[in-house]
Amino acid sequence: MRFKRLIGAAALAFTALAAALPAQAADYKSEYKLSIVVGTNFPWGQGAVIWSDLVRERTNGRINIKVYPGTSLVQGDQTREFTAIRQGVIDMAIGSTINWSPQVKELNLFSLPFLMPDYAAIDALTQGKVGEQLFGILSKKGVVPLAWGENGYRQLSNSAREVKTPEDVKGMKLRVVGSPLYIDIYTALGANPTQMSWADAQPALASGAVDGQENPLSIYAGAKLYDVGQKFLSLWNYVADPLIFVVNQDVWNSWSPADQKIVREAAIEAGRQEIVIARKGVTSTDDSLLKEIEGHGVKVTVLSPEQIGAFAKATRPVFDKWAKQIGPDLVRQAQADIAKR
Ligand code: X2X
């Protein structure tokens, strides 16, 4: 009897131990869903591939990431991506600040027209105090921010005419992204902006339902927008959207500290590499992507500082209105860090 009880106790203890020991591994999912907006042939998507490959290798497959392009986990509606990450419908993502700005108003900072005149200005924000503050804000919203990447400076294309002055965009029907700030910018310029997802934008451009759009050159070229009549391209660097690597908070908590470290370091490494890829071919020392675009019969217009000044002046009220909503202190910090870059 006593013996039996002993055996019973031992069996119980063993079961408890068995349950406790592999608990951590058992909590791991067989697949982690990583959301991005475009495909893996774009710099953005390459960043996702680099991140997931590094993590898979370094965790010996414990963390197996699958990339879901086209924001397919939210049926292409990229403005719902952030909410889906918080809710755990999406485990991890590399997201554009623009797409998450409806839920995180401070991310509109990067969309303030003509705030960041060059790459050093973008870096001064993402790699400095502003970046830290934004990561702090994200951390309180159910996601763990890990690293910065870049979609790029957004340039304006259209099928109708060369754009050099605000006058030129008057009445133009333009597809814009998911922050109301963009509606304000193009309304201030006298254009006719309409908000739609990237998935809807491409057929709308092809059918001529809209005249133009704005996107980084890597997206313009990767999606072959020159083949859907977008033959006029104005380079004006008016805004740029950084990308942010994040993991859902609960998913993050389910990983061992050692695995968390691997995922974080891999994100930082992938982010660095992705930024290099995103900036390739669009600088004065390497303009190969621009040349490729021109090769498709596109009229590329590089706006002069004076021409850019006219657009900055016309959109200044939008800047001021949104600076208040974003937070005047954060905007002042950004301007100070850009000034001393
Ligand atoms: O929708 C866009 O324009 C894109 C692909 O650049 C973003 O996701 C912000």
Side-chain angles (χ1 to χ4, degrees):
M1 185 64 190
R2 231 168 103 205
F3 181 68
K4 253 197 183 160
R5 226 186 277 146
L6 248 177
I7 299 235
L12 253 181
F14 179 78
T15 322
L17 193 70
L21 265 185
Q24 211 151 42
D27 280 351
Y28 280 42
K29 302 187 194 181
S30 57
E31 175 193 299
Y32 291 94
K33 297 181 164 66
L34 193 171
S35 176
I36 51 172
V37 177
V38 291
T40 51
N41 53 322
F42 294 77
W44 187 342
Q46 288 174 35
V49 171
I50 296 169
W51 190 21
S52 47
D53 284 351
L54 284 175
V55 169
R56 193 175 304 106
E57 279 164 29
R58 293 176 183 175
T59 62
N60 294 318
R62 276 190 305 283
I63 297 177
N64 173 37
I65 299 171
K66 181 163 178 212
V67 179
Y68 286 79
T71 344
S72 58
L73 300 165
V74 282
Q75 293 74 47
D77 184 354
Q78 62 223 55
T79 59
R80 285 182 19 229
E81 187 182 53
F82 190 77
T83 306
I85 304 163
R86 296 179 73 168
Q87 293 170 341
V89 174
I90 293 172
D91 297 311
M92 50 213 297
I94 305 175
S96 156
T97 49
I98 300 172
N99 296 332
W100 296 354
S101 64
Q103 290 83 34
V104 191
K105 67 176 191 321
E106 292 85 353
L107 293 180
N108 279 297
L109 178 72
F110 302 100
S111 299
L112 287 177
F114 307 102
L115 171 69
M116 303 174 294
D118 50 34
Y119 286 130
I122 302 177
D123 295 342
L125 300 191
T126 57
Q127 307 306 315
K129 284 200 190 104
V130 166
E132 264 172 44
Q133 280 186 45
L134 292 172
F135 272 19
I137 292 165
L138 288 169
S139 301
K140 294 195 189 89
K141 288 184 184 277
V143 305
V144 180
L146 299 174
W148 294 92
E150 187 162 291
N151 193 13
Y153 272 117
R154 302 181 71 90
Q155 320 291 7
L156 185 66
S157 78
N158 81 92
S159 58
R161 56 185 170 267
E162 186 180 15
V163 170
K164 287 190 289 197
T165 69
E167 195 59 37
D168 297 328
V169 295
K170 284 237 153 61
M172 227 179 237
K173 197 150 187 206
L174 299 174
R175 174 269 173 170
V176 293
V177 268
S179 167
L181 194 162
Y182 288 86
I183 297 281
D184 286 354
I185 290 178
Y186 289 98
T187 304
L189 294 174
N192 182 6
T194 172
Q195 186 185 318
M196 58 180 87
S197 71
W198 175 237
D200 291 342
Q202 297 169 82
L205 289 163
S207 72
V210 294
D211 304 312
Q213 63 87 48
E214 48 80 62
N215 245 307
L217 294 183
S218 65
I219 303 270
Y220 172 92
K224 298 188 167 44
L225 294 189
Y226 40 74
D227 281 347
V228 289
Q230 296 291 294
K231 294 290 187 193
F232 300 95
L233 187 56
S234 292
L235 308 189
W236 59 342
N237 292 3
Y238 82 127
V239 298
D241 52 329
L243 302 175
I244 306 179
F245 291 60
V246 301
V247 176
N248 163 283
Q249 179 79 61
D250 295 333
V251 168
W252 181 258
N253 292 342
S254 74
W255 290 337
S256 71
D259 281 344
Q260 289 174 348
K261 185 164 180 276
I262 290 173
V263 174
R264 182 187 296 280
E265 286 174 359
I268 292 168
E269 234 174 282
R272 279 204 197 105
Q273 289 186 38
E274 191 276 338
I275 290 173
V276 172
I277 300 169
R279 293 181 185 179
K280 220 177 154 297
V282 293
T283 59
S284 48
T285 45
D286 169 18
D287 65 352
S288 52
L289 183 58
L290 268 179
K291 286 275 162 334
E292 182 201 315
I293 290 169
E294 280 175 334
H296 290 276
V298 177
K299 167 103 184 107
V300 178
T301 307
V302 183
L303 299 197
S304 68
E306 293 70 34
Q307 289 169 331
I308 286 175
F311 280 101
K313 188 161 173 247
T315 52
R316 190 69 210 184
V318 180
F319 187 113
D320 294 338
K321 171 186 163 186
W322 279 87
K324 284 199 197 89
Q325 303 196 24
I326 291 161
D329 288 345
L330 187 64
V331 176
R332 261 194 299 275
Q333 178 74 54
Q335 287 171 318
D337 291 349
I338 289 170
K340 60 170 196 275
R341 73 190 179 282

